[in-house]
Structures are given as structure tokens and as C-alpha cells.
Amino acid sequence: MGCIIEEDDGDEVVMEPPPNFSMVEEGIYRSSCPRPCNFSFLETLNLRSIIYLCPEPYPEENLEYIRSHNIRLFQFGIEGKTEPSLATLKDAIRGALKILIDVRNHPVLIHCKRGKHRTGSLVGCLRKLQNWCLSSVFEEYQHFAGIKSRDADMKFIETFDVVCLRQCLHSIIYQYQGYGSKKRRLLYREDNVQKPRITSI
Amino acid sequence: MGCIIEEDDGDEVVMEPPPNFSMVEEGIYRSSCPRPCNFSFLETLNLRSIIYLCPEPYPEENLEYIRSHNIRLFQFGIEGKTEPSLATLKDAIRGALKILIDVRNHPVLIHCKRGKHRTGSLVGCLRKLQNWCLSSVFEEYQHFAGIKSRDADMKFIETFDVVCLRQCLHSIIYQYQGYGSKKRRLLYREDNVQKPRITSI
């Protein structure tokens, strides 16, 4: 008499994350545009939202997927090939950042087409908001963009004004608790907002 | 009369993550060996443990840092230059994985020297445990190793036996709740462990 030990692993679905997939922060992911072969992996993320950075309509199969999984789509169309005007780009990135750091939208996946330039620019600006030093921000950008790294993107990240955005965040009551403190978590506090101090001169 | 709006941002410490830093999973980070300039960034992670994969003694400054921050060090010495024997490597990776997926050790930082080969091999084996398809595991490995990617590491990851490890995990009662289900979180369940079913033949 022998015995077989059966493992109780449940079904053995092979997970295929989209190319260039990575976790950015708790509740924030980045990748290239997911394809149907990535959907079973996406399910494991329990996404609440997707930030889509291309101007093209969202692919039909992906639309079906997000509808059936109750995932909210936020689209900020940034041109991928022609260089967008600085004002347009700033507006899109600022809008996307507001969605991104609002924990009510988490878990959230950021993606464009390849997860290199537009996604990299948005993540770069998030890192600035987190007070990462610029060389680390660039390292991360280059990590994902590889040989396709673009000076224009890095210049954009470098000059992107986070001070202005912070004020803006104050005004929309989402408090980003991370820069310069031990806390890195993104918090949403509706009630207990510290007003900016106003000093008469 | 005018007014100045002062932002209440607290101190503005610039954060410098160690090179090759990234988040692997909730509560799991990877990087190259942190240097003192990275310590203020490390504080934001609130680490409970570090998995250190080099055979060399832990650098004195880092030792001081982890002592003062009550961080536990788990060292699994894997040779970086000469190729370690397969048996030694397997043992080290298996030991490190057990520490890694035990949420009581989270948040945990994995690092070796450059965060490429040894760290990449450990993360690769974790991904196999998570049922990632091999091409995605390799993509991630190569992402961090870049032009320094080693075929031997990828061969090791490919042949690393996760079935055996899963059984092992069963026996040490840490249940990894992730593969093939919607849950990706690493759970520790002391009481409610499902025993492998034994079938007579």
C-alpha cells in the first residue's frame, strides 16, 4: 500500500503580467497596455481603476474586461508619437496625478501603450511629489524606458512643478502624506485637513 | 497689505532610494546594497527585516542603522563571483523564500550587492511560486540585471522546484495564498491549515 499526497492548490492558472509590469506603490501599478492573455493576472490585482494615457479609444476587449470587473477608466490622452504641447502635457499629467494619489481609486493601474514614456513621465512626477532625488527618478524612468529613454520626458519631469500641485492638492483636500515624513502611504482625509497658514505682512 | 501662504509640508528631506530599488509586492522591496545616503529613504519603508544575500559581513554602517531601527537581518550568503554549487544555491534560496513569504517579517527588503543576480534569482523564484509564466519571470529578471543578465541565473530559476517548496510550506504552516486564486496577499495562518489530502491506493 502506498499513498499519494495531493496538493490542495486550487486551479493552477499561469499568470502572465503585461510587459513592463511593476508595482509602483501600495495600490499603484504600471504596465504596458494589457492584452487578453494578461487578464487572468490582472484579476489578481483587484483593480478599482485604470489610468489610460493614450488618446486612442480604449481597446474593445479591454473595455469589456473593465466593464465586467467594475473597473473605472480614467483617460488622459497624451500623444505618443508627435510631441504634445507643454501645456497639454502638464494638464494631462496634473489631472492624472490627482486621480492617482486619491486612495479611493486604488488599486489603480497606470498604462499607456508600452509603459515607457507616458507612464514613465507620470510615475516620475509622482516620485517628485514623494521627494525622491532627481537622479533616482531618472534611474527609474530609464529602467522602464530602456534604450527608448527620451530626453524630452526627463526634461519634463525635471521641470514639472510639484509645489504648485501640492497647493492644488491642499485645495482639493487630498492630503498626500509622504514627503519628508516617515509615512509614504497615500491618505485621504476629508475632515481633518490642515489649512495653509496665512501670515500677514 | 499682502499675504504669504506657507505650506505645512514638514521638513523637506530629499529621498534617495538605493540604485535598482523597486517594490516587488506589498511589503516586499528589492534593491542594491543601501548606502548611508539612502537611509532616510529606507526609513519611509518602516522595514521589519532585511534579507541579505551576500556571504560578506554586513557593512558596519548598515549594521548600526538596522540596530537603531530594530530591523532584523537574515543573511543567506551566496557567492557573487564564483558560481556557487547548485545544492548550496538551492538551499539558500529556499531558506530565503521561507523568510520572504512570512508576513511576520514584512515589510522586508531583499538586497545583495547590486540587486541584479542574487536578488533577481530570489525574486524570480518567488514569481514562480506566484505562478507567473516563465517569460514574465525572465522579463523581470532582465529588467533589473540589464546587460549583466546571466543565463545561469535564468536556468536556475527555470529549474527551481516550487512544487517541493509548496509542500515544504505546507509543512511549515505558512500558507501562500496567491497562486491560481484572486488573492495575491501572503498570509500567515497558524491555526487554520489545510492538511494535504492523503489518498490510499
Side-chain angles (χ1 to χ4, degrees):
Chain A
M1 198 180 95
C3 69
I4 296 168
I5 297 177
E6 287 181 21
E7 278 194 278
D8 198 6
D9 284 349
D11 54 329
E12 287 274 341
V13 180
V14 174
M15 299 295 172
E16 189 175 343
N20 247 348
F21 171 81
S22 185
M23 195 162 185
V24 178
E25 287 289 327
E26 253 178 83
I28 303 181
Y29 305 92
R30 62 180 290 170
S31 73
S32 56
C33 186
R35 291 185 306 126
C37 61
N38 309 124
F39 288 168
S40 63
F41 173 77
L42 282 196
E43 289 199 17
T44 67
L45 305 178
N46 292 318
L47 295 176
R48 197 177 285 164
S49 350
I50 283 179
I51 295 177
Y52 172 55
L53 299 172
C54 306
E56 292 81 16
Y58 208 50
E60 197 52 53
E61 291 154 318
N62 296 40
L63 266 184
E64 255 171 52
Y65 176 81
I66 64 169
R67 274 179 200 141
S68 64
H69 289 76
N70 223 357
I71 297 168
R72 209 169 150 191
L73 181 69
F74 296 96
Q75 182 168 12
F76 297 90
I78 301 170
E79 280 296 334
K81 283 173 187 159
T82 58
E83 214 161 283
S85 85
L86 195 61
T88 315
L89 188 56
K90 265 186 193 164
D91 280 352
I93 293 288
R94 208 175 285 144
L97 267 175
K98 286 179 198 167
I99 299 299
L100 182 61
I101 68 173
D102 184 343
V103 288
R104 293 174 303 177
N105 299 321
H106 292 189
V108 56
L109 172 68
I110 309 161
H111 76 81
C112 46
K113 201 168 173 211
R114 298 189 202 287
K116 291 177 194 266
H117 305 114
R118 291 167 276 197
T119 299
S121 299
L122 178 57
V123 172
C125 293
L126 171 72
R127 297 310 192 186
K128 278 189 74 176
L129 204 59
Q130 292 181 295
N131 268 11
W132 279 32
C133 73
L134 207 56
S135 63
S136 303
V137 177
F138 288 166
E139 195 206 276
E140 186 179 43
Y141 170 88
Q142 289 166 326
H143 207 88
F144 289 91
I147 51 163
K148 301 274 188 181
S149 293
R150 286 180 188 162
D151 287 345
D153 288 345
M154 291 195 277
K155 191 81 197 158
F156 174 79
I157 295 169
E158 185 171 357
T159 53
F160 186 78
D161 183 10
V162 285
V163 173
C164 159
L165 186 72
R166 272 177 202 152
Q167 283 172 348
C168 184
L169 295 177
H170 277 289
S171 74
I172 60 163
I173 64 164
Y174 303 126
Q175 287 264 339
Y176 177 70
Q177 299 276 334
Y179 39 95
S181 88
K182 289 197 181 185
K183 292 176 205 141
R184 291 171 82 229
R185 292 280 299 141
L186 307 165
L187 294 178
Y188 169 68
R189 300 189 304 179
E190 192 137 24
D191 307 311
N192 185 24
V193 175
Q194 286 197 318
K195 299 262 179 359
R197 271 174 291 168
I198 296 171
T199 312
S200 295
I201 50 172
Chain B
M1 199 181 92
C3 68
I4 296 168
I5 297 178
E6 287 180 19
E7 278 194 280
D8 199 5
D9 285 349
D11 53 329
E12 287 274 342
V13 179
V14 174
M15 300 295 171
E16 190 176 342
N20 247 349
F21 172 81
S22 184
M23 196 162 186
V24 179
E25 287 289 328
E26 252 177 85
I28 303 181
Y29 305 93
R30 64 180 288 171
S31 74
S32 57
C33 186
R35 292 185 306 125
C37 61
N38 310 124
F39 289 168
S40 63
F41 173 77
L42 282 197
E43 289 199 17
T44 66
L45 305 179
N46 293 317
L47 293 177
R48 196 177 287 167
S49 351
I50 284 179
I51 295 177
Y52 172 54
L53 299 173
C54 306
E56 293 81 17
Y58 208 51
E60 197 52 53
E61 292 154 317
N62 296 42
L63 266 184
E64 257 171 51
Y65 175 81
I66 64 168
R67 274 180 199 139
S68 65
H69 289 76
N70 224 357
I71 297 168
R72 209 168 151 191
L73 182 68
F74 296 94
Q75 182 168 12
F76 297 90
I78 301 170
E79 281 297 334
K81 283 174 187 157
T82 59
E83 215 161 283
S85 84
L86 195 62
T88 316
L89 188 56
K90 264 185 195 166
D91 280 352
I93 294 288
R94 208 176 285 146
L97 267 175
K98 286 179 198 167
I99 300 299
L100 182 61
I101 66 173
D102 183 344
V103 289
R104 294 174 303 178
N105 298 321
H106 292 188
V108 56
L109 172 69
I110 309 162
H111 77 81
C112 48
K113 202 169 173 210
R114 299 191 201 286
K116 291 177 195 263
H117 305 113
R118 292 167 276 198
T119 299
S121 299
L122 178 57
V123 172
C125 293
L126 172 70
R127 296 313 193 185
K128 279 189 72 175
L129 204 58
Q130 292 181 295
N131 268 10
W132 280 32
C133 72
L134 207 57
S135 63
S136 304
V137 176
F138 288 165
E139 195 206 276
E140 186 178 43
Y141 171 89
Q142 289 167 326
H143 208 87
F144 289 91
I147 52 162
K148 301 273 189 182
S149 293
R150 286 180 187 162
D151 287 344
D153 289 344
M154 291 195 277
K155 192 80 198 158
F156 174 78
I157 295 169
E158 185 172 357
T159 53
F160 186 78
D161 182 10
V162 286
V163 173
C164 160
L165 187 71
R166 272 176 204 155
Q167 282 172 347
C168 184
L169 295 176
H170 277 288
S171 74
I172 61 162
I173 63 165
Y174 304 127
Q175 287 264 342
Y176 178 70
Q177 299 276 336
Y179 39 97
S181 87
K182 287 198 181 184
K183 292 175 204 142
R184 289 171 84 230
R185 293 281 299 140
L186 307 165
L187 294 179
Y188 170 69
R189 301 190 302 181
E190 192 139 21
D191 307 311
N192 184 24
V193 175
Q194 285 196 318
K195 299 261 177 0
R197 272 172 292 169
I198 295 172
T199 314
S200 295
I201 50 170

